[in-house]
Amino acid sequence: NRVRFVFDDEAFSVKTSTKDENDELGSTGENIVVGGENRWKYSTWTNYDFFPSKEFPILVYFKETQTPQAKWNEGPGQFDKVGGGQMHFFPALCNVEEMDAEFKARGLPSQRYNPK
């Protein structure tokens, strides 16, 4: 299986896909840090970024308030108090220019790349 980043009308999701001609999308299971589905509504995003930069991306980061507040300090969330929310990181194993364009097309805020 491969990891797929899915942008639908209301949310960003992390899915798995098969390598066959059907390329069906499946669940990645519960989030390993805070539980729940790996799907986050755009309306809950407070920031996104590429580290160390979009020109040399290693990690993609985003922060959201959909995760229950009691979980915000689990994992890396304890290190970033700006704006509240749960932080998420994943390896930049994608075309980050395309990902950034998708984030911007959905009006997602980024202190560095799409200030509000």
Side-chain angles (χ1 to χ4, degrees):
N1 287 348
R2 297 179 292 178
V3 172
R4 296 279 302 269
F5 302 114
V6 179
F7 295 87
D8 66 24
D9 290 340
E10 68 174 28
F12 171 78
S13 303
V14 180
K15 300 278 189 181
T16 60
S17 69
T18 57
K19 294 180 182 180
D20 62 18
E21 65 277 353
N22 295 330
D23 200 28
E24 294 181 21
L25 295 178
S27 172
T28 56
E30 290 220 347
N31 184 281
I32 61 170
V33 176
V34 296
E37 185 180 7
N38 288 309
R39 180 179 182 354
W40 301 273
K41 291 183 179 180
Y42 305 129
S43 61
T44 68
W45 285 45
T46 61
N47 195 24
Y48 76 87
D49 208 337
F50 302 96
F51 290 113
S53 69
K54 191 165 53 170
E55 295 72 32
F56 187 71
I58 295 173
L59 293 173
V60 179
Y61 148 89
F62 70 95
K63 191 172 186 183
E64 48 76 19
T65 58
Q66 179 176 307
T67 299
Q69 189 169 2
K71 302 276 189 177
W72 289 0
N73 287 330
E74 293 185 24
Q78 62 189 322
F79 301 112
D80 181 5
K81 304 299 182 199
V82 178
Q86 175 64 41
M87 296 169 56
H88 301 268
F89 292 93
F90 54 89
L93 302 174
C94 56
N95 181 324
V96 296
E97 290 293 339
E98 286 181 16
M99 182 162 276
D100 187 44
E102 292 289 342
F103 288 165
K104 286 177 179 171
R106 285 152 179 81
L108 300 176
S110 171
Q111 289 180 347
R112 188 174 1 184
Y113 298 110
N114 198 23
K116 298 292 176 182

